[in-house]
Amino acid sequence: MNWTDTTHSYSVSSCRHLGRPCPAVERMIARLGMALDQARPSTTDDFEITGTCLLERCDARCASRCSARFVASHTRIRIFTGVGEDASLSGLDQFADAIFDPAASPFVPKRNQTYPSGLAQALPRRSLPSQPKAQAALAPA
């Protein structure tokens, strides 16, 4: 599932348990996007938050609570569901790159690699110039 709001473009994979995007992940990534946008004026470009959480049960096919790991910065937000904090972040990122980034290197599965039940990614939208600035740029000098 893909959508865009005023600050980010979002992509959410289907959950292996539900067979569709997880509503809890959709809500969480949208809120992380909003929080990072609000934090931008008081943080540096390299600001990043990471953590783990338990997502509420969405459906009878879900575990009672699904563990998730997230990494959020001003350049990208990712949520990996069904993984714990001990899962290799580099392995999770390589897996997500193979799904979300058409220019990524080919993904080679590894033994004992933890794979998420679902993925979500948000990329910041490029800010568009406001109308007055755009008109000023087009005015003859």
Side-chain angles (χ1 to χ4, degrees):
M1 167 187 269
N2 299 309
W3 78 95
T4 301
D5 65 14
T6 58
T7 61
H8 290 81
S9 294
Y10 302 91
S11 298
V12 179
S13 74
S14 291
C15 170
R16 283 189 291 168
H17 303 291
L18 295 175
R20 61 181 170 80
C22 172
V25 171
E26 291 173 27
R27 289 188 301 272
M28 182 174 175
I29 198 151
R31 288 188 176 109
L32 279 171
M34 190 176 5
L36 278 169
D37 185 58
Q38 291 174 351
R40 181 170 280 290
S42 59
T43 57
T44 60
D45 287 343
D46 63 348
F47 175 77
E48 179 179 275
I49 56 172
T50 63
T52 58
C53 65
L54 293 174
L55 299 171
E56 290 300 320
R57 185 176 178 168
C58 303
D59 188 277
R61 292 171 283 193
C62 294
S64 59
R65 296 181 90 183
C66 181
S67 62
R69 185 169 182 183
F70 63 90
V71 179
S73 70
H74 291 305
T75 57
R76 179 179 71 198
I77 303 167
R78 281 190 172 161
I79 301 173
F80 306 95
T81 62
V83 299
E85 58 187 79
D86 59 334
S88 163
L89 191 55
S90 64
L92 292 171
D93 272 333
Q94 287 175 342
F95 184 73
D97 287 343
I99 294 188
F100 293 130
D101 184 359
S105 300
F107 177 74
V108 180
K110 297 178 182 143
R111 277 186 112 163
N112 302 323
Q113 173 73 39
T114 301
Y115 297 102
S117 300
L119 299 167
Q121 175 174 278
L123 299 174
R125 292 183 63 194
R126 282 185 259 164
S127 56
L128 300 172
S130 65
Q131 189 66 20
K133 288 181 184 175
Q135 287 176 346
L138 297 173

